[in-house]
Amino acid sequence: MTRPTIPTPRPRAAQGPPRSGPGLLGRGLSRRTLFRGFGAGVLAVAGAGALASCGASGGSGGGTDGGGEASLGEVTYISFLPFETLSFAAEMLAMAAGHDATHGIDLGYEVARGTSPSLQAMIAGAGLVARCNTVDLAMARAQGQDVVNIATIARGPAQRINFSKERPITAAEDMVGMTIGIPSEGGSTENNLRLTLENAGVDSEQVNLQVVTDNPASWEMIRRGQIDGYISSPDQSFLLLDMQAGADAIVLGDLSPVISDRQYFVTTDQHIQEKPDQLRAFLASLQDSVTFMVDDADRTKTLQALREENSFASLDNDAVARSALDVQVQNFVNDEEPDPLVTDEEIWLASIEELVATGRIEPVEAPESWMTNDLLNA
């Protein structure tokens, strides 16, 4: 796998008032922008004790009063990407629309730039909740890390492969001999791509992978023949199609079903024991966000709320934003799984079995103990 030099994205100033207190970071830098500015390097040089010392504040227990004040204190969410994609619409809406305050918490976030760093930060105490997919969680557990699935936020495939209409990708077999761009080596995108290929009967080693940026700038690499396609989030794909008439895309999961291609909110058993009320309030605020988006048929109210505190290319483009939000809603709920955030245990067990069958992880005893719905509102 080749790895081109990728410039570090310039930090974007936080929109609106900071949602997190400065804590150990000093009054000149909000918690929301700490990892955004320094990325995984902060995690690499900070010891576990240092990370734990800047964790989310707020006492355990006490209950929520629903009165709009942060009676449970601050809750920090660790994101594996900056909040500059609508893949995190539900989390952004929880803050922008005040669903967090309704449930007595002040929700803030930090960016760890990568799923593994985000999990490590959450485990170390830099935050209370993170987000990952099945294989990320299973691999963390296989390494002895205390990670628990507490809610399902994405129930189906969403990532898309972008390509030129002159050399389309319509089946997994089309990618044999091609070079496909992925945002990081060894991450969830690479795992999902390899699983998709293998489930379709294609040797994933016959597809070359190259690290690229997850935005329309990678189109230039397709145009120059450096890559044949690249994987991105839905909103970045819709943005590309809006900008380039010669571009096309297909949902990765449409090439071959991958049961384990789901995303979860995760925490640790220790966090569950020490701060159950904060976790319940976080999930309740996200349930409210999801329900708000599902009920907002034309997405107008959702967009209005998101734009009060956020601004980035895909959100600012009406057509792109509505299409991306439609994809998010389709992944939040469906006819078989109508309840927001609830993890279907049968599907969870099947996803773990898929990872065992494909050699991603060793056989697991009691994988149901890696998940719980107990923190969700009934």
Side-chain angles (χ1 to χ4, degrees), residues 74-290:
E74 178 183 287
V75 169
T76 301
Y77 170 80
I78 307 292
S79 176
F80 57 80
L81 284 174
F83 276 14
E84 296 174 359
T85 167
L86 287 166
S87 296
F88 300 108
E91 293 95 321
M92 289 189 285
L93 187 64
M95 294 184 286
H99 298 308
D100 57 343
T102 297
H103 294 281
I105 59 173
D106 179 20
L107 179 60
Y109 73 93
E110 292 177 349
V111 181
R113 294 191 182 279
T115 303
S116 181
S118 72
L119 293 179
Q120 293 303 316
M122 183 272 295
I123 293 168
L128 200 59
V129 185
R131 175 172 169 171
C132 70
N133 72 2
T134 316
V135 68
D136 297 318
L137 189 154
M139 288 183 171
R141 294 291 304 213
Q143 295 169 3
Q145 296 174 335
D146 178 20
V147 181
V148 181
N149 161 18
I150 56 172
T152 301
I153 184 60
R155 305 182 191 274
Q159 289 181 306
R160 294 158 64 92
I161 300 181
N162 307 290
F163 50 82
S164 170
K165 291 178 180 178
E166 296 180 356
R167 196 177 184 194
I169 298 172
T170 60
E173 294 80 4
D174 294 340
M175 285 186 277
V176 173
M178 285 186 170
T179 298
I180 302 298
I182 57 174
S184 64
E185 183 178 354
S188 58
T189 298
E190 179 179 345
N191 285 317
N192 284 339
L193 175 58
R194 292 193 183 279
L195 273 171
T196 298
L197 293 167
E198 292 164 16
N199 285 355
V202 175
D203 181 358
S204 64
E205 295 300 323
Q206 294 184 336
V207 179
N208 303 308
L209 303 181
Q210 181 167 322
V211 176
V212 303
T213 56
D214 177 18
N215 60 50
S218 292
W219 171 256
E220 183 64 17
M221 297 182 70
I222 295 179
R223 194 186 66 80
R224 293 178 179 177
Q226 295 171 292
I227 58 175
D228 298 285
Y230 70 95
I231 299 176
S232 75
S233 60
D235 60 334
Q236 293 300 315
S237 179
F238 292 136
L239 194 60
L240 172 67
L241 268 57
D242 187 63
M243 295 167 59
Q244 302 291 343
D248 205 347
I250 188 170
V251 177
L252 183 61
D254 287 350
L255 299 176
S256 179
V258 174
I259 303 172
S260 55
D261 188 9
R262 290 179 164 226
Q263 292 204 347
Y264 312 99
F265 289 130
V266 296
T267 190
T268 66
D269 280 321
Q270 182 177 349
H271 291 334
I272 292 174
Q273 293 170 11
E274 294 179 352
K275 295 191 174 183
D277 290 339
Q278 285 87 346
L279 288 167
R280 289 190 182 95
F282 169 82
L283 293 177
S285 69
L286 266 295
Q287 284 178 308
D288 285 354
S289 288
V290 168

